[in-house]
Amino acid sequence: MSSRRRRIYEGKAKILYEGPEPGTIVQYFKDDASAFNNKKKGTITGKGVINNRISEYLMTRLNEIGVPTHFIRRLNMREQLVRQVEIIPLEVVVRNVAAGSLAQRFGIPEGQALPRSILEFYYKNDQLGDPMVTEEHITAFGWATPQDIDDIVALALRVNDFLSGLFLGIGIKLIDFKIEFGRLYEEEMVRVVLADEISPDSCRLWDLKTNEKMDKDRFRRDLGKVEEAYQEVARRLGILLDPGAGDHRGPVTVQ
Ligand code: ADP
Ligand code: MG
């Protein structure tokens, strides 16, 4: 693993290590899962391996259409090299269909299509339980400038349009997702880029035909078959994950 490298930060789902070159970091994807502001904890066997691949795939596709991201390259089963950014402390949520906290707060049945995509900001702060905030709070407290917010909104909507179509093409509805952005400093320039990860941990994904959940709600709501659902998302994306190649599995006994 990465015992050689200096550990910068350990979060709920990933560990960050100092990267090989200045301005780079290594994201190590763990199997740890958490929900409801860390009140529910567990592990999803093999999740880190799958999310590393899915996030690599989606960030690469987004890069190709001109959405700037922190992603550089995948290093191995659980690690990817990314550009170190100054994380903007916001969780940016884009919703297409009512689910989760939106369905709860407004009493809208889960699964009801929204009249238009809705974008929400949450202040990224575990102690405070990631409270929802408005642009007023964001600019007043200096978490981001009005220009940052403009960039974030434009990028988030492009990500939503692109990923909605991409998932639809493989029989999956993109219900909602959470993304994070960071400031990338290069050559006296600073720009806002997509950071962190995009995976079934951070998206709600429903099967188009059956509405079956294929994301972390299976863990949140104890629906079972969590790893299988993540695997199925990877499979439909065309990411071949040899079940024997995961570092989480022992030798397979052939009957
Ligand atoms: P958390 O428990 O805070 O959500 P994670 O387990 O998701 O943490 O670990 C990833 C952490 O690294 C997050 O805090 C995220 O904001 C941060 N991060 C993601 N991408 C980058 C990057 N390119 N540079 C610096 N920090 C990043
Ligand atoms: Mg996180």
Side-chain angles (χ1 to χ4, degrees):
M1 277 205 315
S2 300
S3 44
R4 301 157 274 122
R5 302 190 186 109
R6 200 169 69 83
R7 180 191 299 225
I8 298 171
Y9 173 84
E10 173 151 9
K12 299 185 291 294
K14 299 185 284 306
I15 307 172
L16 304 186
Y17 296 96
E18 208 167 63
E21 294 114 41
T24 65
I25 56 173
V26 173
Q27 274 196 320
Y28 174 92
F29 286 73
K30 301 189 282 184
D31 285 348
D32 297 356
S34 64
F36 311 118
N37 192 29
N38 228 2
K39 283 196 267 291
K40 181 182 172 89
K41 287 185 193 168
T43 58
I44 302 169
T45 311
K47 173 173 80 82
V49 174
I50 303 172
N51 282 359
N52 187 26
R53 294 296 293 263
I54 292 178
S55 200
E56 170 196 18
Y57 180 83
L58 297 177
M59 292 268 181
T60 303
R61 295 288 87 76
L62 284 164
N63 245 314
E64 286 167 359
I65 62 150
V67 172
T69 79
H70 71 159
F71 184 79
I72 302 172
R73 66 174 179 276
R74 189 169 58 83
L75 297 172
N76 55 50
M77 297 291 282
R78 285 182 184 270
E79 294 180 330
Q80 54 179 241
L81 187 66
V82 301
R83 287 190 202 291
Q84 182 155 28
V85 300
E86 183 182 282
I87 287 287
I88 296 169
L90 298 174
E91 303 211 327
V92 180
V93 173
V94 183
R95 300 174 178 276
N96 300 306
V97 174
S101 65
L102 181 128
Q104 287 263 313
R105 282 188 301 118
F106 300 118
I108 302 172
E110 200 167 63
Q112 184 168 302
L114 298 169
R116 60 177 177 84
S117 299
I118 292 176
L119 202 146
E120 300 171 340
F121 296 109
Y122 296 84
Y123 177 45
K124 193 174 154 60
N125 183 313
D126 281 339
Q127 274 97 60
L128 301 176
D130 300 334
M132 189 191 253
V133 294
T134 67
E135 296 185 24
E136 288 280 290
H137 302 119
I138 296 168
T139 52
F141 295 124
W143 298 321
T145 64
Q147 179 62 59
D148 290 334
I149 297 174
D150 282 354
D151 293 349
I152 287 170
V153 169
L155 288 171
L157 295 178
R158 281 180 72 193
V159 170
N160 184 44
D161 284 348
F162 182 75
L163 292 187
S164 291
L166 185 147
F167 280 116
L168 200 57
I170 56 170
I172 293 174
K173 262 188 285 192
L174 179 60
I175 304 299
D176 57 38
F177 62 92
K178 182 274 290 187
I179 45 182
E180 292 180 27
F181 294 91
R183 294 186 196 91
L184 183 61
Y185 294 86
E186 44 184 17
E187 296 157 22
E188 341 254 284
M189 280 249 304
V190 56
R191 58 192 177 120
V192 171
V193 305
L194 189 57
D196 203 47
E197 68 176 293
I198 309 177
S199 72
D201 272 10
S202 57
C203 301
R204 282 198 174 88
L205 304 168
W206 294 6
D207 181 84
L208 191 59
K209 290 202 190 106
T210 65
N211 278 340
E212 204 176 337
K213 297 185 197 321
M214 305 175 72
D215 55 59
K216 203 168 84 175
D217 271 348
R218 299 203 73 84
F219 166 78
R220 290 190 189 96
R221 302 176 192 189
D222 296 315
L223 300 175
K225 296 225 188 287
V226 188
E227 190 200 343
E228 288 82 351
Y230 281 52
Q231 282 276 1
E232 176 61 13
V233 173
R235 194 192 66 75
R236 291 197 199 175
L237 286 170
I239 300 166
L240 293 174
L241 284 169
D242 175 0
D247 60 2
H248 56 285
R249 287 174 209 261
V252 177
T253 308
V254 178
Q255 303 288 324

